[in-house]
Coordinates of all heavy atoms in Angstrom, one line a residue:
D151 N 187.5 80.9 178.6 CA 188.8 81.2 178.2 C 188.9 81.6 176.7 O 190.0 81.3 176.2 CB 189.9 80.4 178.6 CG 190.2 80.1 180.2 OD1 189.8 81.2 180.9 OD2 190.3 79.1 180.7
L152 N 187.8 81.8 176.0 CA 187.9 82.3 174.7 C 188.0 83.7 174.4 O 188.1 84.2 173.2 CB 186.6 81.5 174.0 CG 186.5 80.0 174.0 CD1 185.2 79.7 173.7 CD2 187.6 79.4 173.3
L153 N 187.8 84.4 175.5 CA 187.7 85.9 175.3 C 188.7 86.5 176.5 O 188.6 86.0 177.6 CB 186.4 86.6 175.5 CG 185.5 86.8 174.3 CD1 184.2 87.4 174.6 CD2 186.2 87.8 173.3
I154 N 189.4 87.5 176.1 CA 190.3 88.2 177.1 C 189.7 89.7 177.3 O 189.4 90.3 176.2 CB 191.7 88.2 176.7 CG1 192.3 86.9 176.5 CG2 192.5 89.1 177.5 CD1 193.6 86.7 175.7
Q155 N 189.5 90.0 178.6 CA 189.1 91.4 178.8 C 190.2 92.3 178.8 O 191.2 92.1 179.5 CB 188.4 91.5 180.2 CG 187.2 90.6 180.3 CD 186.6 90.7 181.8 OE1 186.0 91.7 182.1 NE2 186.8 89.6 182.6
K156 N 190.1 93.4 178.0 CA 191.2 94.5 177.9 C 190.5 95.7 177.5 O 189.5 95.7 176.8 CB 192.1 94.0 176.7 CG 193.4 94.8 176.6 CD 194.5 94.0 175.7 CE 195.6 94.8 175.5 NZ 196.5 95.1 176.6
D157 N 191.3 96.9 177.8 CA 190.7 98.2 177.3 C 191.1 98.1 175.9 O 192.2 97.8 175.3 CB 191.6 99.3 178.1 CG 191.2 99.5 179.4 OD1 190.1 99.2 179.8 OD2 191.9 100.0 180.2
I158 N 190.1 98.6 175.1 CA 190.1 98.6 173.6 C 190.1 99.9 173.0 O 189.0 100.6 173.3 CB 189.1 97.6 172.9 CG1 189.2 96.2 173.3 CG2 189.2 97.7 171.4 CD1 188.1 95.3 173.0
S159 N 191.1 100.5 172.4 CA 191.1 101.9 171.8 C 190.5 101.7 170.5 O 190.3 100.7 169.8 CB 192.5 102.3 171.7 OG 193.2 101.6 170.8
V160 N 190.1 103.1 170.0 CA 189.5 103.0 168.7 C 190.6 102.6 167.6 O 190.2 102.0 166.7 CB 189.2 104.6 168.4 CG1 188.7 104.8 166.9 CG2 187.9 104.9 169.3
K161 N 191.8 103.0 167.9 CA 192.9 102.5 167.0 C 193.0 101.0 166.9 O 193.1 100.5 165.8 CB 194.2 103.0 167.4 CG 195.5 102.7 166.7 CD 196.7 103.5 167.3 CE 197.9 103.2 166.5 NZ 198.5 101.8 166.6
M162 N 192.9 100.3 168.0 CA 192.9 98.9 168.0 C 191.7 98.3 167.3 O 191.9 97.4 166.4 CB 192.9 98.3 169.4 CG 194.1 98.5 170.2 SD 193.9 98.3 172.0 CE 193.7 96.6 172.1
L163 N 190.5 99.0 167.4 CA 189.3 98.5 166.7 C 189.5 98.6 165.3 O 189.3 97.7 164.4 CB 188.1 99.3 167.1 CG 186.9 99.1 166.4 CD1 186.4 97.7 166.6 CD2 185.8 100.2 166.7
K164 N 190.0 99.7 164.8 CA 190.3 100.0 163.3 C 191.4 99.2 162.7 O 191.4 98.9 161.5 CB 190.6 101.5 163.1 CG 189.3 102.3 163.3 CD 189.6 103.8 163.0 CE 188.4 104.7 163.1 NZ 188.7 106.1 162.9
E165 N 192.3 98.8 163.5 CA 193.3 97.8 163.0 C 192.9 96.3 163.0 O 193.7 95.5 162.5 CB 194.6 98.0 163.9 CG 195.3 99.2 163.7 CD 196.4 99.5 164.8 OE1 196.6 98.6 165.7 OE2 197.2 100.4 164.7
S166 N 191.7 96.0 163.5 CA 191.2 94.6 163.5 C 190.6 94.3 162.3 O 189.8 95.0 161.7 CB 190.3 94.4 164.6 OG 190.8 94.7 165.9
N167 N 191.0 93.1 161.7 CA 190.3 92.7 160.5 C 189.1 91.7 160.7 O 188.4 91.4 159.7 CB 191.3 92.0 159.5 CG 192.0 90.7 160.1 OD1 191.7 90.4 161.4 ND2 192.7 90.2 159.4
K168 N 188.9 91.4 162.0 CA 187.7 90.6 162.3 C 187.1 91.2 163.7 O 187.9 91.5 164.5 CB 188.0 89.2 162.7 CG 188.2 88.4 161.4 CD 188.3 86.9 161.7 CE 189.6 86.5 162.3 NZ 189.8 84.9 162.4
I169 N 185.8 91.3 163.7 CA 185.1 91.6 165.0 C 184.0 90.7 165.2 O 183.7 89.9 164.3 CB 184.7 93.1 165.0 CG1 183.5 93.3 163.9 CG2 185.7 94.1 164.8 CD1 182.8 94.7 164.0
A170 N 183.5 90.6 166.4 CA 182.4 89.6 166.7 C 181.5 90.5 167.5 O 181.8 91.3 168.4 CB 182.9 88.4 167.4
L171 N 180.2 90.2 167.2 CA 179.1 90.7 168.1 C 178.6 89.6 168.9 O 178.5 88.4 168.4 CB 178.0 91.3 167.2 CG 178.4 92.3 166.2 CD1 177.1 92.8 165.4 CD2 179.0 93.5 167.0
L172 N 178.3 89.8 170.2 CA 177.9 88.7 171.1 C 176.6 89.2 171.8 O 176.6 90.3 172.4 CB 179.0 88.6 172.2 CG 180.3 88.1 171.8 CD1 181.3 89.3 171.5 CD2 180.9 87.4 173.1
N173 N 175.6 88.3 171.7 CA 174.4 88.4 172.5 C 173.8 87.2 172.5 O 174.1 86.2 172.0 CB 173.5 89.6 172.1 CG 172.8 89.4 170.8 OD1 172.5 88.3 170.4 ND2 172.4 90.6 170.1
A174 N 172.6 87.2 173.3 CA 172.0 85.9 173.6 C 171.4 85.2 172.3 O 171.4 83.9 172.3 CB 170.8 86.0 174.7
M175 N 171.0 86.1 171.5 CA 170.4 85.5 170.2 C 171.4 85.1 169.1 O 171.2 84.1 168.4 CB 169.4 86.5 169.6 CG 168.2 86.8 170.5 SD 167.3 85.3 171.0 CE 166.7 84.7 169.4
I176 N 172.5 85.8 168.9 CA 173.4 85.6 167.9 C 174.7 84.8 168.4 O 175.5 84.5 167.6 CB 173.8 86.8 167.1 CG1 174.5 87.9 168.0 CG2 172.6 87.5 166.4 CD1 174.9 89.1 167.3
D177 N 174.8 84.7 169.6 CA 176.0 84.1 170.2 C 177.2 84.7 170.0 O 177.5 85.9 170.4 CB 176.1 82.7 169.9 CG 177.0 81.7 170.7 OD1 176.9 81.9 172.0 OD2 177.8 80.9 170.2
F178 N 178.3 84.2 169.2 CA 179.4 84.9 168.7 C 179.6 85.1 167.3 O 179.9 84.1 166.7 CB 180.7 84.0 169.4 CG 182.0 84.7 169.4 CD1 182.4 85.3 170.5 CD2 182.8 84.6 168.3 CE1 183.6 85.9 170.7 CE2 184.1 85.2 168.3 CZ 184.5 85.9 169.6
D179 N 179.0 86.1 166.8 CA 178.8 86.3 165.4 C 180.0 87.0 164.8 O 180.2 88.2 165.0 CB 177.6 87.1 165.2 CG 177.1 87.2 163.6 OD1 177.6 86.2 163.0 OD2 176.4 88.1 163.3
I180 N 180.9 86.4 164.0 CA 182.0 87.0 163.6 C 181.9 87.7 162.3 O 181.2 87.0 161.3 CB 183.3 85.9 163.4 CG1 183.6 85.2 164.7 CG2 184.5 86.4 162.8 CD1 184.5 84.1 164.6
L181 N 182.4 88.9 162.1 CA 182.3 89.7 160.9 C 183.6 89.9 160.4 O 184.5 90.4 161.1 CB 181.5 91.0 161.3 CG 180.2 90.9 161.9 CD1 179.6 92.4 162.1 CD2 179.1 90.3 161.1
E182 N 183.8 89.7 159.2 CA 185.0 90.0 158.4 C 184.9 91.0 157.3 O 185.9 91.5 157.0 CB 185.7 88.7 157.8 CG 186.0 87.7 159.0 CD 186.7 86.4 158.4 OE1 187.9 86.6 157.8 OE2 186.2 85.2 158.7
D183 N 183.7 91.2 156.9 CA 183.4 92.2 155.9 C 182.6 93.4 156.6 O 181.4 93.2 156.6 CB 182.7 91.5 154.8 CG 182.6 92.6 153.6 OD1 183.2 93.5 153.5 OD2 181.6 92.3 152.7
F184 N 183.3 94.4 156.9 CA 182.5 95.5 157.7 C 183.2 96.8 157.5 O 184.5 96.8 157.2 CB 182.4 95.2 159.1 CG 183.7 95.0 159.9 CD1 184.4 96.1 160.6 CD2 184.4 93.7 160.0 CE1 185.5 96.0 161.1 CE2 185.6 93.7 160.5 CZ 186.3 94.8 161.1

Side-chain angles (χ1 to χ4, degrees):
D151 297 323
L152 300 169
L153 265 180
I154 298 166
Q155 298 179 75
K156 187 168 176 66
D157 287 336
I158 300 172
S159 68
V160 171
K161 180 178 184 281
M162 291 166 67
L163 171 68
K164 289 183 174 182
E165 290 174 355
S166 301
N167 59 357
K168 287 192 277 192
I169 63 174
L171 302 181
L172 295 87
N173 72 27
M175 294 306 298
I176 61 175
D177 198 42
F178 194 94
D179 188 26
I180 298 172
L181 306 177
E182 295 185 55
D183 185 20
F184 60 91

